Amino acid sequence: MYVLGIETSCDETGVAIYHPEQGLVSHFLYSQTDMHSEYGGVVPELASRDHIRKLAPLIKQTLHDSQLANNEIGGIAYTAGPGLMGALLVGAATARSLAWAWQIPAIAVHHLEGHLLAPMLEDQPPTFPFVALLISGGHTMLVRVDGIGHYQLLGESLDDAAGEAFDKTAKLLGLGYPGGPKLAELAEHGRPTAFTFPRPMTDRPGLDFSFSGLKTFALNTFNASAQTEQDKADIAAAFQTAVTETLTIKCRRALQQTGLHSLVAAGGVSANHSIRNALTEMAAREKTDIYFPRLPFCTDNGAMIAYAGCQRLLAGQHQDLRIFARPRWPMVELSGCG
Ligand code: KG4
Ligand code: ZN
């Protein structure tokens, strides 16, 4: 079964086609970052309008690229949440209408389940059970994954998500939007030990995170410094190291707590090289297998939605004719699949 996947939860329009035996057949992504960068962050109304403009042409382009006819598509998967309501509605309404017109099932996919399963698109995918570190712009979570839909929350951020902390710190350093990759780039030129940042919540037991203090620490450090370009780079490097070490300490703790030897890191922030390297080194020390999505599938994309939707459709799950969009949707509410 060929499954068309549609992602429109935030500022990226993603479309892909996945087949259980053939794998990923085709995928395209249109990023709105240039449009939002003028405003220093995502403007929800502009995001929705742009999805409306871009989604239908992108679906046509993906179908054309796959050389598949409309009637060869067996199901449509769309991101139903969490995300921006207007943006979600564009994908959900389009997906639901197309599925009705083509008389095929549609499945509402949880955006974070999509991220979590993105490493399944690689040649050597993880096998269940594993610990997953989900680090995106809106969420930071450690989850025990026993199968698709079988998620146990081990810990989460009590305030800012990791990506949000990157973006806010980048903004105060004057780096613009999207901040995460820009801060990471600047950190390359900085000295991680020039300033000592805290490693929040690592000195007490538990697997929860708190990143909002790091952003304030960065602001205070910036105000107290000479504010030279080198200071900025040093703050970026010290901040990135603090986030990296905090995530690594908590992941090691989660592995020890669960007794598992398999770790997945996914979501936009998992594209960060410092974090990938530190987690890989820790995993080697802990005799743990580690899995990341390829870089383009760390951030939002249609491929992960097509994959996750395909698994659920194969298990016989699908939605009724309602257009399903849930801006807030706890992942632990998901039902199991197989
Ligand atoms: O998963 P994602 O594309 O969207 C959400 O579901 O939120 O994640 C976007 C987040 C943003 O906060 C962005 O700044 C961050 O991922 N990000 C990075 C890097 N690439 C993207 N953060 C740090 N280093 C990067 N290389
Ligand atoms: Zn995302």
Side-chain angles (χ1 to χ4, degrees):
M1 174 172 44
Y2 290 102
V3 174
L4 180 72
I6 294 176
E7 156 63 37
T8 63
S9 67
C10 189
D11 58 347
E12 250 111 29
T13 318
V15 181
I17 294 172
Y18 179 83
H19 184 277
E21 275 97 49
Q22 296 168 24
L24 193 60
V25 177
S26 182
H27 68 97
F28 286 93
L29 187 81
Y30 173 78
S31 175
Q32 304 177 348
T33 46
D34 285 350
M35 181 181 76
H36 296 296
S37 67
E38 204 182 315
Y39 304 93
V42 178
V43 184
E45 180 61 20
L46 294 183
S48 320
R49 291 183 196 196
D50 215 40
H51 285 308
I52 292 174
R53 273 192 291 270
K54 298 296 184 331
L55 182 55
L58 215 57
I59 293 172
K60 275 191 184 166
Q61 188 179 350
T62 309
L63 280 167
H64 180 77
D65 180 70
S66 68
Q67 299 185 329
L68 292 169
N70 298 355
N71 62 10
E72 287 178 275
I73 302 295
I76 302 186
Y78 63 93
T79 303
L84 302 171
M85 187 49 152
L88 290 169
L89 276 172
V90 178
T94 307
R96 187 54 269 177
S97 311
L98 262 184
W100 182 77
W102 292 348
Q103 293 294 297
I104 55 174
I107 180 93
V109 174
H110 193 287
H111 182 75
L112 294 174
E113 178 169 86
H115 275 306
L116 190 144
L117 298 177
M120 298 291 188
L121 292 161
E122 300 309 308
D123 289 339
Q124 294 190 316
T127 50
F128 303 116
F130 54 77
V131 170
L133 173 71
L134 276 175
I135 35 179
S136 72
H139 297 84
T140 300
M141 287 195 244
L142 270 165
V143 186
R144 182 193 161 107
V145 181
D146 286 293
I148 295 177
H150 296 284
Y151 308 129
Q152 185 195 341
L153 185 66
L154 303 172
E156 63 185 331
S157 179
L158 304 178
D159 41 57
D160 291 353
E164 193 179 354
F166 263 95
D167 293 340
K168 287 177 174 171
T169 304
K171 199 167 192 174
L172 70 91
L173 292 176
L175 302 180
Y177 168 86
K182 288 189 176 160
L183 190 142
E185 211 180 299
L186 183 63
E188 301 272 309
H189 308 287
R191 297 163 297 174
T193 50
F195 299 105
T196 309
F197 276 52
R199 275 60 172 150
M201 296 184 72
T202 53
D203 57 353
R204 66 185 96 160
L207 295 170
D208 286 334
F209 304 89
S210 167
F211 289 114
S212 69
L214 280 183
K215 158 201 72 192
T216 314
F217 198 91
L219 179 64
N220 293 340
T221 307
F222 182 61
N223 287 338
S225 73
Q227 303 185 0
T228 62
E229 288 308 306
Q230 188 59 49
D231 284 337
K232 279 192 195 179
D234 289 345
I235 290 171
F239 168 85
Q240 181 173 263
T241 305
V243 175
T244 300
E245 285 189 10
T246 304
L247 292 172
T248 307
I249 290 168
K250 296 280 169 151
C251 282
R252 190 177 60 228
R253 209 177 271 178
L255 290 165
Q256 285 166 352
Q257 189 176 306
T258 56
L260 296 177
H261 288 275
S262 184
L263 177 67
V264 158
V269 184
S270 70
N272 182 282
H273 291 295
S274 155
I275 294 171
R276 285 172 97 96
N277 292 341
L279 289 177
T280 304
E281 283 167 21
M282 180 275 290
R285 282 195 304 273
E286 298 291 318
K287 307 214 173 352
T288 290
D289 296 324
I290 185 152
Y291 304 89
F292 300 98
R294 72 190 84 161
L295 288 179
F297 295 164
C298 288
T299 42
D300 294 348
N301 64 85
M304 65 185 194
I305 303 303
Y307 176 83
C310 183
Q311 304 314 309
R312 287 189 174 273
L313 286 167
L314 287 174
Q317 300 179 358
H318 59 87
Q319 254 71 41
D320 58 24
L321 285 177
R322 269 177 305 168
I323 292 165
F324 192 78
R326 262 185 88 172
R328 286 174 187 274
W329 187 7
M331 197 171 67
V332 286
E333 283 183 17
L334 289 176
S335 62
C337 169

